[in-house]
Amino acid sequence: MFTELANYGIQKIIPDLTLISFFKENIESIIITHGHEDHIGALSWVLPIFKNKTKLFVSSFVYNIIIKRLLKNLNSRSLDISIFNANKKFQFGPFECQTFRVTHSIPDCYGFVLKSPYGNILHTGDWKMDEAPLDGEILDKELLQEISKEGVLLFFSDSTNAMSPGRTLSERNIYDSITNIITNPSISGRIITTQFASNVYRLYSIKKSSELTNRKICFLGASLNSYLEAAYLDGRAPFNPSELIEDDTDLDKYDNNSLLIVTTGSQGEPNSTLNLSSLDVSSKLSLKSSDTILYSAKIIPGNEKRVTKMLNRLSSHGCDIIYGNNKHIHTSGHAYEEELKEILKIVKPKVFIPVHGEVMSLYSHGKMALRECGVSKVAIIRNGQLLKVTRSPESSYIMTNHILGECRISNFYQFGNNLVSTYEELSINERIRISSSGVIIISIEFWKKIIDKNTDFKFYSKIKITSKGLWTDRGKLNSILKKIINGIFIKSRPVISVASLEQIIQETIAYMCFKINYQIPEICIVLNEFSK
């Protein structure tokens, strides 16, 4: 996953692989339901655990996305990948597996059914119900109804929007809205759209609009090109990547009314093209007051401040920003309440396990299943918990609330190109404190001079104080701190240890900094005692 800690040198969040490592001998196969980064991003860390003993099942579109990065990060000989097709059965470890089509915000998405001696296990993957998808591939309700007749023991379903009432808009509505906006004759100048890079469906409206307005399309952002290339290889792209203006082209050579620019940066990512251009530091895109920005995305929770600041900067350039739910230029790829209820009533599972969502969404989804969809048993489990589902020997009663155990897990963080470690080991709290409150480094070299049984502290050199990232009132703070440190040495007893002296200085400096700046910086004290 991407992280909010990018400013502190953290590039990605890597899941804790402890549990997978513990059971690696029992994991025979892995299936990828679709190509979003939160589902494929950890493969380069997961696959090496199994040492070529585990088979990876993917769709053709996902294969096109992941193959380059896996070949780059792993030995190509170690990859055992099979491409599956919709509704085709295949052996998945000890299970017979059958995939079925679902609709989402990226092409070629699947749920799957595992056949077991105890009953069918069904997982939706990420999904929504779209009766008019742009690629014509709707959720396969017929297969779900057939599986329901056989009986579903366990049902796992996406809970992301379990607290959103109603139904999601069709991507067809978004296609019409974006096309109408871009082809509006009242809009002049360059049109710059931003979206999630993986949403290939939005490119259909971009292609149609460019044809109607005779605008040339330019992609600015490597991830956009990666997904378009994968879609083109799979026959799902609305146009050939070769039709695009190359991203190193000087865009100022083109007439403003002839350009349709697609950029990354809908979440205000620090290094994205749109964010850098809002800061006037992008080498690829210089904003103009005549530009129109079409924000075709949702602000992911946690990114609100960052995105708002970016949009404000874009507005300060004079750009016209088209944004908001009432514009119908974005729709979610995750089902809303009414869709979730519908699929629960189709599947009729004996046990329901809501997955893929915030904790409050999981509980909301579970209550919905119990109260409104005729489900009798719901199990909500945390990451790292092991749930055992068994059939009683005396009857068909199914136990669902037996937690075998729990593995304590924590996120790992990628720092630099190779280093992956924990929050504590990377001292992220210190990084955050230094960035917000600054740092003070104090270096003191001293020795004890004994005269007539009296001990006096003497300094080898001047007390050195270096401060970064905090207000010093033109050096006055450092002068005050030096006087305080001198006072501490004068009042200290001869027998005081270096550790105690350091603690007293630390606490006194922290108090004084808070009194002056209302902040406590990171304080580093280096005490060197010499004998003479």
Side-chain angles (χ1 to χ4, degrees):
M1 296 184 293
F2 293 106
T3 171
E4 298 176 2
L5 301 172
N7 290 335
Y8 310 111
I10 308 302
Q11 296 177 340
K12 288 184 180 180
I13 300 175
I14 310 301
D16 192 335
L17 303 176
T18 306
L19 195 61
I20 292 179
S21 300
F22 184 79
F23 288 103
K24 64 182 180 181
E25 300 300 330
N26 301 100
I27 299 175
E28 298 181 27
S29 304
I30 298 172
I31 189 168
I32 304 296
T33 59
H34 65 287
H36 275 147
E37 194 66 24
D38 57 329
H39 292 256
I40 64 174
L43 282 175
S44 296
W45 287 271
V46 171
L47 293 180
I49 293 174
F50 303 108
K51 299 179 180 178
N52 200 28
K53 296 180 181 179
T54 298
K55 197 176 189 69
L56 182 65
F57 289 91
V58 300
S59 67
S60 55
F61 178 65
V62 171
Y63 178 85
N64 293 334
I65 297 172
I66 67 173
I67 191 62
K68 283 187 177 180
R69 70 172 72 175
L70 291 183
L71 290 177
K72 178 181 178 181
N73 298 325
L74 305 173
N75 186 338
S76 60
R77 295 179 182 178
S78 67
L79 300 178
D80 187 3
I81 304 177
S82 289
I83 297 175
F84 60 74
N85 296 307
N87 298 334
K88 299 294 183 181
K89 297 178 181 179
F90 56 90
Q91 198 63 30
F92 184 67
F95 304 103
E96 181 184 79
C97 181
Q98 183 176 8
T99 60
F100 59 91
R101 179 70 65 188
V102 298
T103 312
H104 190 39
S105 56
I106 189 173
D108 210 19
C109 297
Y110 294 88
F112 59 89
V113 182
L114 301 180
K115 307 276 187 175
S116 83
Y118 304 100
N120 292 323
I121 302 168
L122 193 152
H123 198 300
T124 62
D126 289 9
W127 69 282
K128 64 180 285 188
M129 286 186 181
D130 190 338
E131 302 302 332
L134 295 177
D135 59 5
E137 296 177 335
I138 62 174
L139 186 145
D140 194 345
K141 293 183 185 179
E142 291 183 5
L143 186 138
L144 292 178
Q145 289 167 348
E146 292 176 10
I147 299 297
S148 177
K149 291 176 183 177
E150 297 176 10
V152 175
L153 171 65
L154 278 176
F155 179 43
F156 299 82
S157 181
D158 174 9
S159 304
T160 305
N161 284 332
M163 301 178 72
S164 299
R167 305 180 77 91
T168 54
L169 276 176
S170 169
E171 194 66 40
R172 179 72 59 179
N173 297 98
I174 310 306
Y175 172 89
D176 293 338
S177 296
I178 292 177
T179 304
N180 290 336
I181 290 171
I182 294 177
T183 57
N184 188 335
S186 65
I187 295 181
S188 60
R190 301 184 304 183
I191 296 177
I192 302 171
T193 73
T194 185
Q195 61 179 61
F196 294 114
S198 60
N199 199 326
V200 177
Y201 296 130
R202 298 290 155 85
L203 301 181
Y204 283 82
S205 58
I206 298 297
K207 172 63 174 175
K208 181 66 174 178
S209 301
S210 71
E211 292 174 347
L212 294 174
T213 58
N214 292 318
R215 290 177 181 264
K216 296 184 180 297
I217 303 172
C218 177
F219 275 14
L220 297 179
S223 54
L224 285 166
N225 289 289
S226 298
Y227 278 102
L228 178 62
E229 182 181 348
Y232 182 73
L233 291 173
D234 202 42
R236 297 175 180 276
F239 49 83
N240 191 321
S242 63
E243 298 176 29
L244 299 172
I245 297 174
E246 294 184 6
D247 61 3
D248 59 352
T249 303
D250 183 3
L251 297 180
D252 289 333
K253 294 180 180 179
Y254 290 87
D255 178 69
N256 289 342
N257 294 316
S258 68
L259 281 177
L260 179 51
I261 302 170
V262 185
T263 71
T264 56
S266 65
Q267 301 308 303
E269 297 92 333
N271 294 322
S272 65
T273 301
L274 191 61
N275 186 63
L276 292 176
S277 65
S278 74
L279 295 166
D280 286 327
V281 293
S282 173
S283 60
K284 297 180 179 180
L285 179 63
S286 297
L287 294 173
K288 301 179 180 181
S289 59
S290 59
D291 291 339
T292 298
I293 311 291
L294 187 63
Y295 188 89
S296 179
K298 172 189 175 182
I299 300 177
I300 296 174
N303 293 340
E304 293 90 349
K305 288 185 178 180
R306 188 168 65 186
V307 174
T308 301
K309 288 180 179 179
M310 180 186 72
L311 293 177
N312 284 335
R313 290 194 297 268
L314 293 171
S315 294
S316 69
H317 282 80
C319 301
D320 184 19
I321 299 177
I322 300 175
Y323 161 79
N325 293 333
N326 60 332
K327 302 294 184 181
H328 292 171
I329 54 176
H330 178 70
T331 183
S332 177
H334 300 273
Y336 281 14
E337 281 186 11
E338 296 306 316
E339 297 157 83
L340 296 174
K341 292 176 187 176
E342 183 176 343
I343 201 168
L344 279 165
K345 291 175 181 177
I346 291 174
V347 174
K348 302 181 181 69
K350 291 184 173 68
V351 182
F352 174 53
I353 302 179
V355 293
H356 199 290
E358 301 291 342
V359 174
M360 59 182 179
S361 298
L362 300 181
Y363 276 91
S364 178
H365 200 180
K367 290 176 182 178
M368 178 198 306
L370 291 170
R371 295 172 181 174
E372 303 180 57
C373 303
V375 177
S376 59
K377 295 189 179 299
V378 171
I380 297 175
I381 57 176
R382 297 188 297 269
N383 288 340
Q385 284 187 328
L386 299 178
L387 177 70
K388 184 178 182 181
V389 180
T390 58
R391 189 184 298 275
S392 171
E394 294 81 17
S395 67
S396 60
Y397 181 74
I398 298 171
M399 300 290 295
T400 65
N401 58 348
H402 181 42
I403 303 295
L404 286 180
E406 182 170 0
C407 175
R408 293 186 62 183
I409 60 175
S410 58
N411 287 330
F412 282 72
Y413 299 83
Q414 183 182 1
F415 177 73
N417 293 327
N418 300 310
L419 179 61
V420 175
S421 193
T422 64
Y423 193 95
E424 292 76 17
E425 289 171 345
L426 288 174
S427 303
I428 294 176
N429 274 336
E430 287 186 8
R431 293 167 186 258
I432 294 173
R433 186 161 60 249
I434 290 172
S435 70
S436 62
S437 302
V439 60
I440 291 180
I441 302 172
I442 300 172
S443 177
I444 306 170
E445 297 176 339
F446 69 96
W447 56 284
K448 296 176 182 178
K449 183 178 180 181
I450 302 175
I451 303 175
D452 296 331
K453 298 182 180 181
N454 294 320
T455 302
D456 188 18
F457 290 96
K458 296 292 183 181
F459 297 109
Y460 257 102
S461 59
K462 292 182 179 180
I463 298 172
K464 298 176 183 177
I465 298 179
T466 303
S467 58
K468 298 291 182 183
L470 72 159
W471 183 65
T472 63
D473 194 10
R474 291 172 291 185
K476 290 182 181 179
L477 175 63
N478 290 1
S479 298
I480 293 172
L481 296 182
K482 287 180 181 179
K483 290 179 181 179
I484 291 172
I485 293 170
N486 270 309
I488 291 172
F489 274 92
I490 291 171
K491 294 179 181 179
S492 295
R493 294 177 299 169
V495 294
I496 191 170
S497 66
V498 172
S500 298
L501 196 57
E502 182 178 326
Q503 182 179 352
I504 293 170
I505 295 173
Q506 176 96 17
E507 293 174 355
T508 308
I509 296 299
Y511 171 78
M512 185 54 61
C513 287
F514 183 79
K515 188 175 180 180
I516 295 174
N517 282 336
Y518 297 100
Q519 284 185 322
I520 300 177
E522 184 71 17
I523 301 171
C524 302
I525 299 174
V526 181
L527 289 182
N528 290 319
E529 181 182 1
F530 295 88
S531 58
K532 192 168 182 178

